Amino acid sequence: MSAFNAIGEEREIDRDEFTPGLEPQPTWCPGCGDFGVLKALKQALPEIGKTPDEVLTVTGIGCSGKLNSYLETYGFHTIHGRSLPVARAAKLANDGLEVIAAGGDGDGYGIGGNHFMHTARENHDITYIVFNNEVFGLTKGQTSPTSPKGHKSKTTPHGNAKSPIRPLSLALTSGATYIARTAAVNPNQAKEIIKEAIEHDGFAHIDFLTQCPTWNKDARQYVPYVDVQESDDYDFDVHDRQEAQEMMFETENALHEGTVLTGRYFVDERPSYQEQKKELGEMPEEPLAERYFDDDYEWERSYDLLERHK
Amino acid sequence: MSDDELIWRIAGGSGDGIDSTSQNFAKALMRSGLDVFTHRHYPSRIRGGHTYVEIRAAGHEVQSRGDGYNFLLALGDSFARNPKEEAYYGNEEIKPLSENLDELREGGIIVYDEGLLGEEDVAELDLEERAEENDWHVFPLDLRSLAKEHGREVMRNTAGVGATAALLEMDLAHIEDLMEDAMSGDVLEANLDILHEAHDTVAEEYDFEHDLRVPTGEHDDEQALLSGSNAIAYGALDAGCRFIAGYPMTPWTDVFTIMSQNLPEIGGISEQVEDEIAAAALAVGASHAGAKAMSGSSGGGFALMSEPLGLAEMTETPIVLLESMRAGPSTGMPTKPEQGDLEFTLYTSQGDSSRVVFAPGNVEEAYEQTRLAFHIAYEYQIPSIIIYDQKLSGENTNVDVSFFDREPAPDLGSTLTEEELAEAAHDASGKFHRFQHEPDGDNHVSPRSLPGQQGGRYLATGNEHTPAGHISEDPDNRVFQMERRIQKLESIREELDDEHESNQTYFGDETADFGIITWGSSQGVVVEAVERLNEQGHAVKGIGVSDMMPFPESEMVEFIESVDQAMVVEMNATAQFRGLIQKELGRYGDKLTSLLKYNGNPFEPAEIVEGYELNVNGSDEEPSAQVRIEPAAGD
């Protein structure tokens, strides 16, 4: 018998199951875009048939890191920038889990930038949502890796001399196999994108635009937005790397100029890291975590390896 | 210094096959019934540079490299051909000979490759004169030509081994067997030819006036030749570890590669990742999801692990980390041993430490304590660290195979099943009380659930948190949680004292009133020095300490109280372990002195003996240049 009965359990799932019954109340400011991510996740998860017990959400530090405090799943609120290595190891140890990692733009593109690049390269089968509000929120409004050039804050009193990160292009060149941008102000699209990302076999990156009404008042609140899939002005093939690349570039430029383009940008069927590792014989077929509960499993002993040392 | 031992040193350049040759030769000696101990000295360089491996073999137990050596096989450095490099490395070609002569004992044997070490070079060394003075027996052999004639130049190692066997009147059978295991086809044929040719040439052409012969010995059991790194890896496998994540760094890489080579075959997972922060974070993630997981590094890489280490403490996620020390600070000397990261390992990461740190003293202890580290980590949901060093990592010694004949221990410790979770305490919202204020047991451990288990949902967070894992700054909750985490160390101390044999190793004369205290890999050499002192009529006892945290307070008090004076021997410049003893016990500042060495080479027994004599008799003379006596500090 499985030690993880929640995994693969099939039943009707109520949206409210993902909402904590009593505490805690979100500490996000009124009007914060983070509510949009929370809402989209709560809507998406029951629709794809996931129960709270089979989902593990792994977050970093900052306002975004508190996502799993307000979402009823297994949660691991890690440390600044480190959600991805924790998330991908959890998936390796038990690939029956639905693993969703989340963090902010400072967390994900700054301090955790190296992990982002490598997790995308390896194409781990996890979903990664980056709350992008172009500012450090919880530390009170400093410039972030996605803050526009010229952005003034306490740490850049004369304006930001750096150009912002291009998260979509970065994900593409690093090797992510599902890349999208959505916005808290666009709940229907956000829900659909999150569903697709979770169902995608491979590293799915969502640059999720979340307005910060407290520390980024001057910034665009991401309205009006344009859904590139809905608009007749944009025609590109999400399976074509070249076309996707060009569209991402245009999207990232447009945001600097005040136009918000959202949608799916790239979808690729490259096998996930877990699949490839299994194929090479570098990862067991059955979840590693299950084995510790299997009384009949025969554990190899080092004694059997000693021949080469005699 | 006993005469019934062989200490064979093979010297040359990195990349000359010194390692593999010496490994096989050590095995051949082991198979002939001898106890062996190897010591590896190498530069941070892929090819060329001065490197040697020493194999000590005797009919009695050997626990250290010993003092000096009595047989030198000097191969030339075939890779040092760039004249520009001389500015940095001197003349590499003659180094295998010149660099090694100072430590060669009286009556020793030298075989050097006259095919590579030119006559002019050798003449510069006044070799004849020195040989006469020291009664050395010198055999210049053209190993290179011999190897070329029957195979390839690179096989001159084999020629050297053949010559060695002839000079020591050794049977070639074990060496042949090992060659047959390692090679096949033309390569094997060529090597066997070279071995015999060298052996026969030497046997026929030379008169053996030297006294050195291969010692005789007899083992009762089957033996295995293992390094500390092997032992740690095997301890981990037998503890049920099936997940490792790491980033290569000397000397930790040894364990990492051994694990990586074994894990896929037995259904485990090894991950080489982007950096050490990720590596330790992966271990945390895998353990959180229900695998027995480990990671590790050496000083500089371990520094990066301080964040995930603290996260593991706060979320009470069991992990095992290795800290394989090398000389620091910073990059330091990557291939040289030092015991300089003790304080760093004990206190790395912010906040009050709640972790377990073991420092095994030899290969067998490395295996035992790795198993124990996993047991403690998973039972008490706490990070366990094995601190060891480049010396223990690379030194090979023979161990009875039967030592490893025991059951695997894949127990996940205080982890609940779904049936148990159904009975456990939950919030009104359905969250499992994973961090209970007052756990059911009296060991301060609150059992955990694993993601994917029905009814075990909770939030693990690096923030302070309530029993269900909600972030909380409530002062009462803080005190409850903090004390529970810290008090686990007391519970662990109790278990270590009551349920396990002591991790501390006692040796020497129990009634002695002079004590030598050491820790980690310096233990073997101190054991030997203490034996020697007692044989010389002094009364000395020793203790090799392995428990760094929680500290073995009662054992240490008992030991120190039982002597008038104690000398703490460790490989660092700031007496870190002596500092720990005084911090933990709060006294004995006037009773402890230190013998410190930090030049990149491990202690030799004679240096400990010298340290003892200086301590007891005092002297106006400074101790040997690279050993320092640190006097006692007042209370």
Side-chain angles (χ1 to χ4, degrees):
Chain A
M1 196 180 76
S2 168
F4 300 94
N5 280 320
I7 294 172
E9 186 192 357
E10 283 186 30
R11 61 175 170 83
E12 198 69 21
I13 301 150
D14 195 304
R15 243 192 78 182
D16 289 345
E17 287 186 41
F18 289 92
T19 304
L22 298 170
E23 49 167 1
Q25 294 306 310
T27 54
W28 295 327
C29 307
C32 173
D34 294 4
F35 287 105
V37 188
L38 182 62
K39 190 175 165 193
L41 263 171
K42 282 183 184 171
Q43 287 180 336
L45 287 165
E47 286 190 24
I48 52 173
K50 295 297 174 191
T51 66
D53 280 339
E54 68 179 319
V55 178
L56 173 66
T57 46
V58 185
T59 56
I61 292 290
C63 296
S64 61
K66 293 186 174 175
L67 173 79
N68 45 16
S69 295
Y70 317 133
L71 181 69
E72 205 51 51
T73 62
Y74 271 98
F76 201 149
H77 177 221
T78 65
I79 39 181
H80 206 207
R82 314 299 168 210
S83 63
L84 286 175
V86 172
R88 68 199 210 212
K91 183 73 179 176
L92 284 164
N94 188 349
D95 61 355
L97 292 171
E98 197 56 64
V99 179
I100 300 167
D105 41 288
D107 183 274
Y109 304 143
I111 189 167
N114 194 26
H115 306 311
F116 177 49
M117 191 167 86
H118 287 275
T119 312
R121 169 173 80 100
E122 293 166 11
N123 197 27
H124 287 267
D125 183 17
I126 59 179
T127 302
Y128 187 37
I129 303 171
V130 182
F131 297 42
N132 182 2
N133 61 6
E134 303 183 9
V135 75
F136 280 91
L138 205 54
T139 49
K140 307 200 168 177
Q142 297 80 4
T143 301
S144 97
T146 52
S147 299
K149 198 166 182 181
H151 176 86
K152 286 189 180 176
S153 75
K154 285 175 203 159
T155 50
T156 51
H158 304 289
N160 182 19
K162 299 170 191 171
S163 297
I165 289 265
R166 294 175 167 273
L168 305 172
S169 303
L170 186 60
L172 185 74
T173 50
S174 300
T177 49
Y178 180 95
I179 304 166
R181 169 176 277 175
T182 187
V185 290
N186 186 2
N188 292 331
Q189 184 202 41
K191 181 190 79 179
E192 288 306 317
I193 281 181
I194 286 179
K195 274 169 66 179
E196 281 183 15
I198 291 174
E199 284 172 341
H200 175 75
D201 291 331
F203 186 63
H205 167 239
I206 303 170
D207 186 61
F208 205 120
L209 300 172
T210 54
Q211 67 278 7
C212 179
T214 304
W215 298 111
N216 211 2
K217 286 194 181 71
D218 299 337
R220 303 160 303 283
Q221 299 297 299
Y222 311 123
V223 256
Y225 63 88
V226 177
D227 183 329
V228 294
Q229 263 85 34
E230 299 286 315
S231 163
D232 292 338
D233 297 342
Y234 304 97
D235 180 29
F236 69 102
D237 179 359
V238 293
H239 301 290
D240 185 306
R241 180 174 288 271
Q242 189 74 30
E243 289 187 29
Q245 172 92 66
E246 281 165 22
M247 192 59 219
M248 285 176 189
F249 209 75
E250 191 176 335
T251 298
E252 285 157 343
N253 282 345
L255 189 66
H256 307 165
E257 287 151 15
T259 307
V260 184
L261 303 182
T262 63
R264 299 153 194 80
Y265 290 91
F266 185 61
V267 183
D268 187 21
E269 298 305 320
R270 180 160 68 97
S272 72
Y273 185 63
Q274 282 74 11
E275 279 174 59
Q276 293 182 66
K277 230 169 137 77
K278 282 180 181 174
E279 203 168 296
L280 291 167
E282 295 262 309
M283 179 172 164
E285 287 294 331
E286 297 298 313
L288 186 53
E290 283 274 9
R291 189 167 306 158
Y292 294 93
F293 295 88
D294 182 353
D295 292 337
D296 298 327
Y297 185 78
E298 267 192 49
W299 292 83
E300 191 119 2
R301 301 188 307 160
S302 73
Y303 186 72
D304 305 325
L305 301 170
L306 288 179
E307 209 50 47
R308 73 189 78 152
H309 300 284
K310 288 179 187 168
Chain B
M1 209 174 301
S2 73
D3 290 318
D4 58 348
E5 62 181 10
L6 166 68
I7 304 183
W8 185 76
R9 183 183 284 195
I10 177 172
S14 300
D16 278 351
I18 304 277
D19 237 18
S20 54
T21 307
S22 60
Q23 188 79 8
N24 266 350
F25 192 58
K27 267 191 192 172
L29 292 167
M30 177 182 82
R31 286 184 180 186
S32 65
L34 296 164
D35 275 43
V36 295
F37 188 97
T38 73
H39 165 67
R40 194 162 60 133
H41 175 106
Y42 59 106
S44 183
R45 186 175 164 175
I46 305 304
R47 298 210 137 179
H50 175 56
T51 177
Y52 67 77
V53 175
E54 233 170 55
I55 301 167
R56 185 179 184 200
H60 52 81
E61 195 182 8
V62 285
Q63 299 209 40
S64 81
R65 60 183 288 199
D67 299 303
Y69 66 102
N70 54 17
F71 192 121
L72 173 66
L73 172 59
L75 303 171
D77 181 351
S78 56
F79 295 103
R81 290 287 178 271
N82 181 358
K84 281 185 190 162
E85 285 188 5
E86 277 198 26
Y88 293 97
Y89 299 108
N91 187 339
E92 299 282 2
E93 284 178 51
I94 63 163
K95 268 196 166 182
L97 197 54
S98 64
E99 290 283 302
N100 288 280
L101 292 178
D102 288 347
E103 291 158 58
L104 180 61
R105 293 185 194 168
E106 238 180 71
I109 298 178
I110 299 171
V111 172
Y112 72 86
D113 188 350
E114 64 175 353
L116 275 168
L117 306 171
E119 261 176 57
E120 282 171 33
D121 296 328
V122 176
E124 276 177 33
L125 301 176
D126 300 326
L127 190 58
E128 264 178 56
E129 211 172 288
R130 293 183 69 180
E132 196 145 324
E133 236 169 72
N134 293 294
D135 187 27
W136 290 339
H137 304 268
V138 185
F139 299 90
L141 298 170
D142 192 350
L143 302 174
R144 180 168 68 157
S145 304
L146 207 149
K148 260 185 172 168
E149 215 173 285
H150 296 265
R152 289 186 294 126
E153 184 180 333
V154 68
M155 297 174 182
R156 60 212 167 80
N157 306 331
T158 305
V161 171
T164 299
L167 291 167
L168 296 173
E169 294 183 353
M170 241 176 109
D171 186 358
L172 287 180
H174 293 307
I175 299 169
E176 290 166 345
D177 284 351
L178 285 158
M179 281 184 170
E180 279 162 18
D181 289 347
M183 322 169 203
S184 62
D186 292 347
V187 177
L188 174 64
E189 289 304 316
N191 270 290
L192 287 174
D193 275 358
I194 293 167
L195 181 75
H196 288 284
E197 189 66 25
H199 179 273
D200 297 349
T201 307
V202 173
E204 284 159 21
E205 285 183 17
Y206 292 92
D207 293 328
F208 298 169
E209 288 167 0
H210 56 272
D211 296 329
L212 188 66
R213 294 292 182 274
V214 68
T216 49
E218 208 175 305
H219 289 304
D220 295 337
D221 291 292
E222 258 196 311
Q223 301 289 306
L225 184 70
L226 284 110
S227 68
S229 293
N230 285 129
I232 288 172
Y234 291 166
L237 292 178
D238 287 351
C241 173
R242 290 296 181 271
F243 188 98
I244 191 167
Y247 185 89
M249 185 167 182
T250 305
W252 125 269
T253 317
D254 286 351
V255 172
F256 186 32
T257 50
I258 296 164
M259 291 294 280
S260 301
Q261 282 162 15
N262 284 301
L263 279 174
E265 311 304 325
I266 58 176
I269 296 174
S270 167
E271 280 285 294
Q272 183 182 326
V273 296
E274 59 269 25
D275 57 38
E276 286 88 350
I277 310 177
L282 260 90
V284 168
S287 174
H288 179 75
K292 279 189 142 174
M294 77 191 292
S295 183
S297 193
S298 299
F302 193 79
L304 295 189
M305 295 185 166
S306 71
E307 294 178 22
L309 175 60
L311 179 67
E313 290 183 358
M314 190 50 141
T315 58
E316 301 182 60
T317 308
I319 52 166
V320 173
L321 294 180
L322 307 181
E323 220 284 28
S324 184
M325 295 178 284
R326 58 195 222 181
S330 192
T331 309
M333 297 196 283
T335 60
K336 299 288 177 279
E338 198 167 273
Q339 296 177 297
D341 296 349
L342 176 62
E343 290 180 341
F344 177 59
T345 304
L346 291 171
Y347 312 120
T348 309
S349 190
Q350 63 272 38
D352 296 305
S353 297
S354 50
R355 70 192 64 170
V356 179
V357 182
F358 294 120
N362 58 36
V363 170
E364 292 187 2
E365 289 183 12
Y367 173 85
E368 296 269 9
Q369 288 171 27
T370 305
R371 279 182 74 120
L372 186 60
F374 273 94
H375 163 72
I376 297 289
Y378 280 76
E379 197 58 43
Y380 293 89
Q381 305 172 356
I382 193 169
S384 286
I385 301 172
I386 310 273
I387 183 173
Y388 63 114
D389 58 37
Q390 187 269 351
K391 170 171 141 55
L392 180 56
S393 174
E395 66 194 18
N396 282 269
T397 186
N398 59 299
V399 182
D400 282 3
V401 168
S402 61
F403 176 80
F404 297 92
D405 187 8
R406 44 185 126 184
E407 288 307 305
D411 185 7
L412 280 184
S414 47
T415 305
L416 299 179
T417 62
E418 291 188 338
E419 290 73 30
E420 289 165 329
L421 277 169
E423 304 290 317
H426 286 75
D427 263 6
S429 66
K431 275 210 166 78
F432 162 56
H433 277 194
R434 187 255 177 277
F435 307 101
Q436 287 190 78
H437 283 161
E438 288 170 32
D440 298 336
D442 54 4
N443 62 359
H444 306 101
V445 178
S446 183
R448 64 173 185 157
S449 61
L450 301 173
Q453 284 184 315
Q454 219 146 37
R457 214 161 56 241
Y458 73 100
L459 180 68
T461 168
N463 289 56
E464 189 56 272
H465 44 264
T466 66
H470 294 305
I471 295 169
S472 166
E473 294 185 352
D474 176 77
D476 291 337
N477 176 68
R478 162 69 176 178
V479 171
F480 272 122
Q481 297 291 6
M482 197 67 215
E483 288 187 348
R484 199 173 53 71
R485 286 190 296 267
I486 294 293
Q487 282 167 0
K488 283 196 285 190
L489 283 174
E490 288 168 29
S491 307
I492 293 167
R493 184 72 262 156
E494 276 168 33
E495 181 181 331
L496 290 175
D497 286 343
D498 297 345
E499 292 172 36
H500 303 270
E501 270 186 43
S502 169
N503 287 323
Q504 282 55 256
T505 306
Y506 296 87
F507 43 91
D509 175 0
E510 271 180 43
T511 63
D513 52 20
F514 189 91
I516 300 186
I517 300 171
T518 191
W519 67 280
S521 77
S522 295
Q523 182 178 300
V525 69
V526 174
V527 169
E528 192 166 333
V530 167
E531 272 171 18
R532 202 177 292 175
L533 283 164
N534 285 315
E535 277 166 22
Q536 288 169 6
H538 305 283
V540 183
K541 65 168 135 182
I543 181 171
V545 185
S546 288
D547 295 349
M548 301 289 114
M549 186 186 279
F551 194 76
E553 185 176 335
S554 57
E555 284 186 80
M556 290 307 288
V557 167
E558 199 178 321
F559 184 87
I560 298 172
E561 290 286 347
S562 75
V563 293
D564 295 336
Q565 191 72 36
M567 177 171 80
V568 186
V569 176
E570 52 186 324
M571 285 191 285
N572 61 56
T574 53
Q576 295 186 21
F577 186 60
R578 189 181 72 174
L580 179 69
I581 298 171
Q582 289 178 220
K583 171 184 177 282
E584 290 286 338
L585 304 182
R587 53 197 191 279
Y588 303 126
D590 58 345
K591 225 173 176 177
L592 304 175
T593 58
S594 279
L595 183 68
L596 307 169
K597 188 177 181 184
Y598 41 91
N599 68 354
N601 292 315
F603 280 106
E604 294 179 21
E607 292 168 333
I608 316 270
V609 171
E610 185 190 0
Y612 165 82
E613 281 162 358
L614 287 172
N615 247 283
V616 173
N617 305 324
S619 168
D620 294 337
E621 277 180 46
E622 286 288 306
S624 313
Q626 291 164 335
V627 177
R628 183 157 69 84
I629 288 272
E630 184 78 9
D635 273 319

